[in-house]
């Protein structure tokens, strides 16, 4: 009785199929790599034509600075107006109709002691009943710079997070442009010329964010 042994031609066929699949995968991956663009973190929105916190402040701070310096009111004149009628003073000198207009101011004064980077100031023409302070960092808080011109609005951004990040980005740009070359930890007792903005909420308490500062 003869025995017939079945041949196995399928094995080479399977191997050939796997090789073809492997070649196809390599081709597809090569095509993907060829068409892939490396994007640094933080630039995705910029490439898409949207908001980028990395660049927004640097692009917008110079115009804000120029606007504030052009409109800044001498602190002595402003103090008299604010104490007489803070609402009228805010409408005359400030920007914004919300919770406190943002008012531009300029003064020379002697810096007192600092607390968390915020100095009290005895400024020329400003009576003692007004507490004048200047924030110098390292943390610059608030959105006064963002809101200083009235030209940056919430509608320009996708959401509230972007709107807040725009303010923080402008604050960072100001620090780099104005405060980076000043020893802000050693200003007590020194006379400093400041131009900046503050939100007029309490007429007797001004917290100024600078757009320019000169140690005299």
């Amino acid at each position: 009785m003869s025995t017939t042994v079945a041949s196995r031609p399928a094995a080479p066929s399977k191997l050939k199929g796997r090789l073809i699949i492997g070649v196809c995968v390599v081709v597809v991956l090569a095509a993907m790599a060829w068409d892939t663009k490396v994007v640094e973190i933080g630039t995705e929105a910029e490439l898409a034509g949207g908001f980028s916190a990395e660049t927004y402040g640097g692009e917008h701070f110079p115009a804000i600075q120029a606007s504030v310096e052009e409109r800044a009111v001498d602190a002595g004149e402003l103090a008299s107006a604010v104490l007489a009628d803070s609402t009228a003073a805010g409408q005359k000198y400030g920007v914004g109709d919300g919770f406190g207009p943002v008012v531009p101011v300029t003064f020379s004064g002697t810096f007192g002691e600092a607390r968390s980077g915020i100095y009290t100031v005895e400024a020329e023409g400003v009576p003692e009943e007004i507490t004048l302070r200047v924030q110098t960092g390292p943390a610059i808080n608030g959105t006064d710079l963002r809101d200083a011109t009235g030209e940056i609005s919430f509608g320009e951004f996708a959401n509230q997070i972007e709107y807040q990040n725009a303010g923080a980005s402008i604050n960072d740009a100001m620090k780099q442009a104005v405060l980076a070359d000043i020893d802000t930890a050693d200003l007590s007792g020194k006379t400093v010329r400041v131009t900046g903005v503050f939100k007029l909420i309490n007429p007797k308490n001004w917290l100024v964010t600078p757009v320019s500062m000169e140690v005299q």
Side-chain angles (χ1 to χ4, degrees), residues 111-114 117 119 136-138 179 182-188 190:
F111 275 30
E113 296 300 319
Y119 285 88
T136 64
L179 302 176
I182 297 175
D183 185 1
T184 56
D186 186 32
L187 293 176
S188 296
K190 295 183 178 179

Short mmCIF file of all heavy atoms in Angstrom, two decimals, residues 111-114 117 119 136-138 179 182-188 190:
data_model
loop_
_atom_site.label_atom_id
_atom_site.label_comp_id
_atom_site.label_asym_id
_atom_site.label_seq_id
_atom_site.Cartn_x
_atom_site.Cartn_y
_atom_site.Cartn_z
N PHE A 111 10.80 105.38 46.23
CA PHE A 111 10.27 104.07 46.56
C PHE A 111 10.53 103.74 48.02
O PHE A 111 11.63 103.96 48.52
CB PHE A 111 10.90 102.99 45.67
CG PHE A 111 10.22 102.82 44.34
CD1 PHE A 111 9.58 103.88 43.71
CD2 PHE A 111 10.22 101.59 43.70
CE1 PHE A 111 8.96 103.74 42.49
CE2 PHE A 111 9.60 101.42 42.47
CZ PHE A 111 8.97 102.50 41.86
N GLY A 112 9.50 103.21 48.66
CA GLY A 112 9.64 102.76 50.04
C GLY A 112 9.97 101.28 50.10
O GLY A 112 10.67 100.75 49.23
N GLU A 113 9.46 100.62 51.12
CA GLU A 113 9.72 99.20 51.28
C GLU A 113 8.86 98.38 50.32
O GLU A 113 7.77 98.80 49.92
CB GLU A 113 9.44 98.76 52.72
CG GLU A 113 10.35 99.42 53.75
CD GLU A 113 11.82 99.10 53.51
OE1 GLU A 113 12.12 97.92 53.18
OE2 GLU A 113 12.66 100.00 53.64
N ALA A 114 9.38 97.22 49.96
CA ALA A 114 8.66 96.34 49.04
C ALA A 114 8.06 95.16 49.78
O ALA A 114 8.61 94.69 50.78
CB ALA A 114 9.60 95.83 47.96
N GLY A 117 7.44 92.19 45.88
CA GLY A 117 7.75 92.88 44.65
C GLY A 117 6.92 94.12 44.39
O GLY A 117 7.02 94.70 43.30
N TYR A 119 6.22 97.97 45.57
CA TYR A 119 6.78 99.07 46.34
C TYR A 119 5.73 100.16 46.60
O TYR A 119 4.96 100.51 45.70
CB TYR A 119 7.94 99.72 45.58
CG TYR A 119 9.21 98.93 45.56
CD1 TYR A 119 9.44 97.99 44.57
CD2 TYR A 119 10.20 99.12 46.53
CE1 TYR A 119 10.63 97.26 44.54
CE2 TYR A 119 11.39 98.41 46.50
CZ TYR A 119 11.59 97.48 45.51
OH TYR A 119 12.76 96.76 45.48
N THR A 136 6.66 95.38 40.59
CA THR A 136 7.90 95.22 39.82
C THR A 136 8.27 93.75 39.61
O THR A 136 9.33 93.45 39.06
CB THR A 136 9.07 95.92 40.52
OG1 THR A 136 9.31 95.29 41.78
CG2 THR A 136 8.77 97.40 40.73
N GLY A 137 7.44 92.83 40.04
CA GLY A 137 7.73 91.42 39.84
C GLY A 137 8.51 90.81 41.01
O GLY A 137 8.75 91.48 42.01
N PRO A 138 8.88 89.54 40.90
CA PRO A 138 8.88 88.78 39.66
C PRO A 138 7.51 88.46 39.08
O PRO A 138 7.37 88.28 37.88
CB PRO A 138 9.61 87.48 40.02
CG PRO A 138 9.46 87.36 41.50
CD PRO A 138 9.45 88.75 42.04
N LEU A 179 11.70 95.84 32.79
CA LEU A 179 12.25 95.53 34.11
C LEU A 179 13.49 94.65 34.10
O LEU A 179 14.18 94.55 35.12
CB LEU A 179 11.17 94.85 34.96
CG LEU A 179 9.87 95.64 35.17
CD1 LEU A 179 8.87 94.81 35.96
CD2 LEU A 179 10.16 96.96 35.88
N ILE A 182 16.71 96.25 35.34
CA ILE A 182 16.63 96.99 36.61
C ILE A 182 16.71 96.01 37.76
O ILE A 182 16.06 94.96 37.74
CB ILE A 182 15.31 97.79 36.69
CG1 ILE A 182 15.26 98.84 35.57
CG2 ILE A 182 15.16 98.46 38.05
CD1 ILE A 182 13.94 99.59 35.50
N ASP A 183 17.49 96.35 38.77
CA ASP A 183 17.55 95.52 39.97
C ASP A 183 16.33 95.84 40.82
O ASP A 183 16.36 96.67 41.72
CB ASP A 183 18.84 95.80 40.75
CG ASP A 183 18.99 94.87 41.95
OD1 ASP A 183 18.11 94.01 42.16
OD2 ASP A 183 19.98 95.03 42.69
N THR A 184 15.24 95.17 40.52
CA THR A 184 13.97 95.49 41.18
C THR A 184 13.94 95.09 42.65
O THR A 184 13.02 95.47 43.37
CB THR A 184 12.80 94.80 40.44
OG1 THR A 184 13.03 93.38 40.37
CG2 THR A 184 12.67 95.34 39.02
N ALA A 185 14.93 94.34 43.09
CA ALA A 185 15.00 93.95 44.50
C ALA A 185 15.68 95.02 45.35
O ALA A 185 15.73 94.91 46.57
CB ALA A 185 15.73 92.62 44.65
N ASP A 186 16.21 96.07 44.70
CA ASP A 186 16.99 97.08 45.42
C ASP A 186 16.57 98.49 45.01
O ASP A 186 17.39 99.31 44.59
CB ASP A 186 18.49 96.87 45.14
CG ASP A 186 19.38 97.79 45.96
OD1 ASP A 186 18.98 98.13 47.09
OD2 ASP A 186 20.45 98.18 45.46
N LEU A 187 15.28 98.78 45.14
CA LEU A 187 14.76 100.10 44.76
C LEU A 187 14.34 100.95 45.96
O LEU A 187 14.04 102.14 45.78
CB LEU A 187 13.57 99.94 43.81
CG LEU A 187 13.88 99.37 42.43
CD1 LEU A 187 12.59 99.17 41.63
CD2 LEU A 187 14.86 100.27 41.67
N SER A 188 14.35 100.40 47.14
CA SER A 188 13.94 101.16 48.32
C SER A 188 14.85 102.36 48.53
O SER A 188 16.08 102.24 48.49
CB SER A 188 13.98 100.27 49.57
OG SER A 188 13.05 99.23 49.47
N LYS A 190 15.18 104.88 46.54
CA LYS A 190 15.64 105.46 45.29
C LYS A 190 14.51 106.24 44.60
O LYS A 190 13.33 105.92 44.75
CB LYS A 190 16.16 104.38 44.36
CG LYS A 190 17.41 103.68 44.91
CD LYS A 190 17.95 102.66 43.94
CE LYS A 190 19.22 102.03 44.52
NZ LYS A 190 19.79 101.00 43.62
#
